[in-house]
Amino acid sequence: RFALFTQRLRTFNVARLDKMAANSVQTFGRKKTAVAVVHCKAGKGLIRFNGAPIELIQPETLKFKAMEPVLLLGRERFANLDLRIRVKGGGHVSQMYAVRQAISKAIVAYYQKFVDEQSKKELKDALLTYDRTLLVADPRRMEPKKFGGRGARARFQKSYR
């Protein structure tokens, strides 16, 4: 009885995985402690940020920062893709930088996996010539504070008398 149950469960999970993996890629972007995950799949051009449309991001300057890959490559490249973005950690600006990197990596990965290598190369070159951080993570991290000062490198003022 248990063997029959596990067999059914296994076939159900395989069918579900096949359905989920139908033309989809999942990529991430990082900036400082912010991590953004983008699930990119074939669809009708929806871009959702933490469940809401990406157009609702406030303030406007950060919205344009997050939309940079879309504006750079053109809306027509994203017309047949749905992007679902989840972001955690960091501050507002770090989150937007993580989102733009994740979106860029997602479209490059999607084009490599499901379209052709030539168009993927064009996309990658366009993104890299504009800004390298769209595809390559920034390795800089905050240095921990040490004793004897108020920061990582700054020391307390020395007095002789």
Side-chain angles (χ1 to χ4, degrees):
R1 191 173 184 171
F2 182 72
L4 181 64
F5 173 74
T6 54
Q7 181 65 35
R8 281 189 184 155
L9 187 66
R10 200 173 292 127
T11 55
F12 171 74
N13 284 343
V14 168
R16 210 163 137 221
L17 284 173
D18 287 345
K19 188 178 176 186
M20 282 173 52
N23 285 18
S24 70
V25 291
Q26 198 166 12
T27 58
F28 66 92
R30 283 196 177 131
K31 173 73 175 173
K32 294 185 179 178
T33 56
V35 179
V37 179
V38 172
H39 185 77
C40 175
K41 61 180 181 178
K44 51 184 186 275
L46 295 173
I47 303 175
R48 298 185 78 71
F49 176 80
N50 285 348
I54 200 165
E55 286 78 26
L56 299 180
I57 292 176
Q58 290 296 328
E60 204 74 13
T61 50
L62 290 183
K63 180 179 91 172
F64 282 118
K65 208 61 180 161
M67 293 286 283
E68 252 177 11
V70 180
L71 299 170
L72 186 67
L73 300 172
R75 273 275 191 194
E76 64 278 352
R77 298 237 197 228
F78 292 85
N80 60 343
L81 297 176
D82 284 350
L83 300 176
R84 199 170 69 237
I85 307 161
R86 292 187 316 276
V87 64
K88 281 184 180 175
H92 297 293
V93 176
S94 290
Q95 283 191 351
M96 290 309 126
Y97 274 86
V99 163
R100 73 199 277 264
Q101 187 183 74
I103 290 172
S104 302
K105 286 168 75 172
I107 191 157
V108 169
Y110 186 88
Y111 268 69
Q112 180 177 15
K113 199 170 178 185
F114 302 112
V115 190
D116 60 329
E117 193 68 29
Q118 183 62 37
S119 54
K120 172 243 168 183
K121 183 110 174 77
E122 289 170 16
L123 290 177
K124 198 171 177 180
D125 290 342
L127 291 167
L128 285 173
T129 52
Y130 179 73
D131 186 1
R132 189 167 181 269
T133 58
L134 282 169
L135 293 174
V136 182
D138 188 354
R140 295 177 297 173
R141 296 289 176 267
M142 197 197 93
E143 192 176 333
K145 180 198 174 301
K146 280 87 171 182
F147 57 86
R150 52 177 185 74
R153 300 288 173 98
R155 301 290 100 201
F156 291 131
Q157 202 165 340
K158 191 172 175 184
S159 169
Y160 285 100
R161 57 182 118 198

